[in-house]
Amino acid sequence: MKLKIAVLPGDGIGPEIMKQGLEVTKAICEKFGHELSYEYGICGAQAIDQVGNPYPEETHRLCMESNAVLFGAVGDPKFDNNPSAKVRPEQGLLAMRKRLGLYANIRPITTFESLIHKSPLKDELVRGADFMCIRELTGGLYFGRPQGRSEDGTVAYDTCVYSREEIERILKVGFEFAMKRRKKLTVVDKANILATSRLWREIAKGMEKEYPEVEVEYMFVDNAAMRMIQWPNYFDVIVTENMFGDILTDEASVITGSMGLLPSASIGTYTSVFEPIHGSWPQAAGKNIANPLATILSAAMMFDYAFNLKEEATLIQEAVDASMSQNIRTSDIQVEGEKGYSTSEVGEWITAYIKNH
Ligand code: IPM
Ligand code: MN
């Protein structure tokens, strides 16, 4: 198969982890006989510095012409600490989501037995937790207009907007995933307060008939946040709107013991994007200490979701599992008394495993 990939390393630790994700991708393509071509694009703070735009037209064109996008992270403290900055790295991410039509963000939450002791929750609560958050990514408060300030600056407003079409297509993703998994779908909303949530519920109820095998449950977001801590094993597939999904997936990510392990896929109308969920961690940039596993696992998701190449995806997962069980790990997830490996050491070990299996 011919695979054309856009590589967007971005800011902070982005370039270091992406290097490992890319090496793994190359090794897989070589092994399975795929013809890989890839091209780098700029985004985030790096792109603001170079061309004044966090998602330049040229980067967009590259993404549109590729079969998949591997994305590192964006963000830089120099913008976080300057509330009057007109352009921000995060705007690039939002522009990319909107322009590529990436309406579904898929974040799988799984536990590794050897990491359970790192979880802030008791072992017996976390063990076996395995669920998937489907977050709507191009609507709601993030994009609703009007947004702004009154003329005298004393009042600010955001708007939450969802159309039937936007709700239907994301719920469909939720139902389809539930069908492929344990057939349980939790629709998370705030229907006791919000009009948009009531429309979500109405539409979901209507769709239940099309998926008679799926057990559907409706849960208020505050309750879901609590349940996730008390009983993470409870969930199979969660589907929710943009802002609720943002908050719940950060919560979910730490349950497993390390944020450094969680990949994500954003899919929709045009080219899909695969990225680690941990962000740019600027303090660690250039130190070769960041955990490359979330990026490597994002590459696995790319083979699975963008190319439907299951064997390739499975081999990457297997290599990651092997690195964990042989304690070839970065310090954030290393067991006590064992040395922490560097970003490149972990990545190179995994690449070698792939070549040899
Ligand atoms: C995420 C991030 C982004 C979001 C930021 C960086 C804009 O937190 O992908 O979850 O809020 O969606
Ligand atoms: Mn977030």
Side-chain angles (χ1 to χ4, degrees), residues 86-146:
K86 289 246 155 26
V87 247
R88 302 178 164 278
E90 291 78 9
Q91 287 166 349
L93 194 53
L94 296 194
M96 180 177 77
R97 289 172 180 172
K98 197 67 172 180
R99 295 190 65 193
L100 293 177
L102 304 172
Y103 59 81
N105 181 227
I106 299 154
R107 297 182 168 182
I109 313 293
T110 44
T111 46
F112 286 84
E113 185 57 38
S114 55
L115 268 189
I116 282 180
H117 66 286
K118 292 257 183 192
S119 171
L121 301 185
K122 293 194 190 94
D123 289 14
E124 65 267 27
L125 288 179
V126 199
R127 189 159 286 124
D130 173 10
F131 60 95
M132 197 153 232
C133 287
I134 316 279
R135 165 188 174 192
E136 201 290 328
L137 203 59
T138 51
L141 280 170
Y142 274 62
F143 293 95
R145 294 293 177 269

Side-chain angles (χ1 to χ4, degrees), residues 11-12 44-45 48 74-91 279-283:
D11 306 320
I48 298 178
V74 294
D76 191 299
K78 74 178 177 219
F79 294 95
D80 297 340
N81 301 329
N82 175 11
S84 60
K86 289 246 155 26
V87 247
R88 302 178 164 278
E90 291 78 9
Q91 287 166 349
S280 62
W281 197 17
Q283 301 78 4

Side-chain angles (χ1 to χ4, degrees), residues 11-226:
D11 306 320
I13 56 169
E16 298 157 57
I17 51 175
M18 185 57 77
K19 182 162 192 281
Q20 304 310 321
L22 191 56
E23 287 306 319
V24 165
T25 302
K26 284 187 205 163
I28 287 283
C29 286
E30 214 163 284
K31 171 154 216 122
F32 288 86
H34 302 302
E35 199 182 309
L36 173 72
S37 62
Y38 61 92
E39 206 174 305
Y40 287 97
I42 55 169
C43 63
Q46 173 207 28
I48 298 178
D49 291 344
Q50 287 181 28
V51 298
N53 177 353
Y55 184 59
E57 212 44 53
E58 208 180 309
T59 301
H60 180 61
R61 205 172 319 121
L62 170 66
C63 293
M64 289 296 284
E65 286 166 359
S66 303
N67 306 120
V69 179
L70 270 179
F71 190 89
V74 294
D76 191 299
K78 74 178 177 219
F79 294 95
D80 297 340
N81 301 329
N82 175 11
S84 60
K86 289 246 155 26
V87 247
R88 302 178 164 278
E90 291 78 9
Q91 287 166 349
L93 194 53
L94 296 194
M96 180 177 77
R97 289 172 180 172
K98 197 67 172 180
R99 295 190 65 193
L100 293 177
L102 304 172
Y103 59 81
N105 181 227
I106 299 154
R107 297 182 168 182
I109 313 293
T110 44
T111 46
F112 286 84
E113 185 57 38
S114 55
L115 268 189
I116 282 180
H117 66 286
K118 292 257 183 192
S119 171
L121 301 185
K122 293 194 190 94
D123 289 14
E124 65 267 27
L125 288 179
V126 199
R127 189 159 286 124
D130 173 10
F131 60 95
M132 197 153 232
C133 287
I134 316 279
R135 165 188 174 192
E136 201 290 328
L137 203 59
T138 51
L141 280 170
Y142 274 62
F143 293 95
R145 294 293 177 269
Q147 179 188 61
R149 289 270 186 108
S150 63
E151 245 164 58
D152 67 1
T154 57
V155 177
Y157 43 86
D158 298 283
T159 311
C160 189
V161 187
Y162 271 110
S163 68
R164 172 171 283 276
E165 188 200 349
E166 288 173 313
I167 299 169
E168 259 168 14
R169 67 184 181 185
I170 189 72
L171 285 172
K172 187 162 186 288
V173 176
F175 275 104
E176 303 280 337
F177 267 105
M179 282 301 287
K180 279 186 252 162
R181 294 174 50 99
R182 301 192 301 274
K183 300 192 170 58
K184 186 169 157 191
L185 181 66
T186 307
V187 179
V188 172
D189 64 23
K190 191 74 184 170
N192 49 349
I193 303 291
L194 302 176
T196 41
S197 286
R198 288 192 283 273
L199 183 58
W200 273 70
R201 245 183 220 217
E202 187 184 307
I203 294 171
K205 289 215 153 77
M207 289 171 76
E208 281 185 33
K209 294 184 259 327
E210 295 164 45
Y211 301 89
E213 286 171 60
V214 178
E215 180 200 332
V216 185
E217 182 190 30
Y218 299 86
M219 197 181 277
F220 296 143
V221 61
D222 44 355
N223 187 18
M226 183 172 71

Side-chain angles (χ1 to χ4, degrees), residues 229-243:
I229 295 295
Q230 285 182 321
W231 191 4
N233 264 300
Y234 178 87
F235 297 104
D236 179 19
V237 178
I238 292 174
V239 62
T240 191
E241 67 92 51
N242 202 345
M243 176 71 106

Side-chain angles (χ1 to χ4, degrees), residues 114 322-329 334-335 338-339 341:
S114 55
S323 75
M324 299 269 287
S325 55
Q326 297 189 34
N327 290 336
I328 314 297
R329 313 178 186 198
Q334 189 52 292
V335 287
E338 294 273 345
K339 111 175 214 254
Y341 287 79

